[in-house]
Amino acid sequence: MSENKPVFIALIVTGILLVGFLAYYFLSAEPQPDTVTDIVAIPEPATIEVIEPEAPEPEPEVEPEVVAEEPAFVLPRLENSDQLIRDGAVSLTRHEGINTWLGSSELIRKTVAFTDNIANGSIAKEPAAALAPRGQMSVQEISEGVYVMNERSYDRFNNVTNILLSIDTKRSVEFYVLLRPLFAQAYGELGYPSGNFDQVILRGIGRLLETPQIDEPAKLIRPVVMYEYQDPKLEMLSPAQKQLLRMGPKNADAIKAKLRDIARELRATLGQS
């Protein structure tokens, strides 16, 4: 029935028009005299044959050409990675002081050694040479044999602090994850072939965050040549923690806040709790 639906509709429309025409003719025509008329047989309406268009033949399926995808990024060799670090640093900060840190060579290896030492509580002097402040530490004597650092000694670390704060946390973590295999390789060269450098970063950050907050200038003594903290608890801190204290309360608090952001972003990116 559905296949003949167009033909059925055409017949109904034709029949309605024909009945309407005949009705109009008989009702409006004037009476005619009797005449003899021949009976003319009205032929049956011709059946309208509707020819359905033939369905087009389906086109043969063409299998898509398989194109080998090129890797989006290819890491350089560890010994050739310095330029990549320098180029990537441009997107991390606009502070021009970052160029001072990037002037040396073996940047990944030195960063790994520096981080590993902090995680273990010490400071490697050679990797940290670029972070060393200019000028001598200045102290003032408040009583016989007892000293405190001058405020201007803290200012020596303002530049380092400002550079650290200027680095984009999210992008720096993304950049690290991109170069993660190179950091792992450099960490393995230190004698940790199966170590996890991600945990070293978090452990180093955790150690620095454990540095106590001192609101008042810490008192110093000088038993021989070097100054020491009068408070035994402060003197027992790791070299990395004592270095953070020497930067002054303002710089130390700002750096701690930045380190918390980095640790939070790193855990989130790596899916760690």
Side-chain angles (χ1 to χ4, degrees):
M1 178 69 177
S2 59
E3 294 179 356
N4 296 326
K5 188 173 182 180
V7 179
F8 182 72
I9 293 176
L11 292 176
I12 291 177
V13 172
T14 302
I16 292 173
L17 291 176
L18 181 58
V19 171
F21 174 75
L22 292 176
Y24 173 77
Y25 178 79
F26 285 110
L27 291 176
S28 59
E30 294 182 357
Q32 297 295 327
D34 294 337
T35 55
V36 178
T37 59
D38 296 331
I39 299 175
V40 179
I42 301 176
E44 294 290 334
T47 302
I48 301 175
E49 182 181 359
V50 178
I51 301 176
E52 296 279 348
E54 295 183 1
E57 295 183 0
E59 297 182 0
E61 295 184 2
V62 179
E63 296 193 7
E65 183 180 357
V66 179
V67 180
E69 294 185 1
E70 297 184 359
F73 181 77
V74 178
L75 287 175
R77 297 173 64 88
L78 178 59
E79 55 269 22
N80 299 327
S81 60
D82 286 342
Q83 191 57 48
L84 176 61
I85 298 294
R86 297 186 184 104
D87 294 341
V90 176
S91 65
L92 304 182
T93 177
R94 295 184 178 181
H95 199 296
E96 295 181 356
I98 194 69
N99 296 322
T100 304
W101 298 6
L102 301 175
S104 61
S105 59
E106 303 289 343
L107 291 171
I108 290 183
R109 286 189 172 102
K110 290 178 179 178
T111 300
V112 168
F114 182 67
T115 306
D116 182 54
N117 277 271
I118 289 180
N120 294 325
S122 59
I123 296 181
K125 294 183 178 180
E126 201 280 329
L131 304 179
R134 301 296 178 259
Q136 298 294 324
M137 182 179 71
S138 175
V139 300
Q140 64 182 25
E141 191 172 13
I142 59 174
S143 63
E144 186 176 356
V146 180
Y147 309 85
V148 292
M149 290 183 62
N150 287 323
E151 291 290 333
R152 61 177 178 270
S153 290
Y154 300 148
D155 296 340
R156 299 179 302 154
F157 299 95
N158 289 348
N159 189 54
V160 172
T161 302
N162 292 334
I163 295 175
L164 288 173
L165 298 182
S166 70
I167 296 175
D168 187 287
T169 299
K170 183 176 179 60
R171 289 184 178 180
S172 63
V173 170
E174 292 174 348
F175 193 43
Y176 163 72
V177 172
L178 180 68
L179 305 180
R180 205 173 167 204
L182 298 182
F183 281 90
Q185 179 183 344
Y187 186 56
E189 293 177 354
L190 295 180
Y192 309 103
S194 60
N196 187 339
F197 189 64
D198 302 337
Q199 296 302 318
V200 177
I201 296 175
L202 296 174
R203 192 168 69 249
I205 292 176
R207 182 176 290 273
L208 291 175
L209 293 180
E210 291 173 354
T211 305
Q213 181 175 352
I214 300 177
D215 298 327
E216 297 181 359
K219 296 178 181 180
L220 305 172
I221 57 176
R222 194 176 187 182
V224 187
V225 179
M226 305 297 294
Y227 291 97
E228 298 178 2
Y229 288 105
Q230 187 183 50
D231 186 344
K233 294 181 180 179
L234 297 181
E235 187 59 31
M236 290 177 62
L237 295 175
S238 69
Q241 292 172 323
K242 287 192 285 188
Q243 178 60 58
L244 188 58
L245 286 180
R246 294 189 192 105
M247 301 179 73
K250 183 179 179 181
N251 289 329
D253 290 345
I255 291 176
K256 284 183 179 181
K258 185 68 172 181
L259 292 176
R260 290 189 188 95
D261 290 341
I262 293 175
R264 189 181 303 112
E265 186 66 31
L266 182 59
R267 286 194 179 97
T269 302
L270 299 178
Q272 299 180 3
S273 58

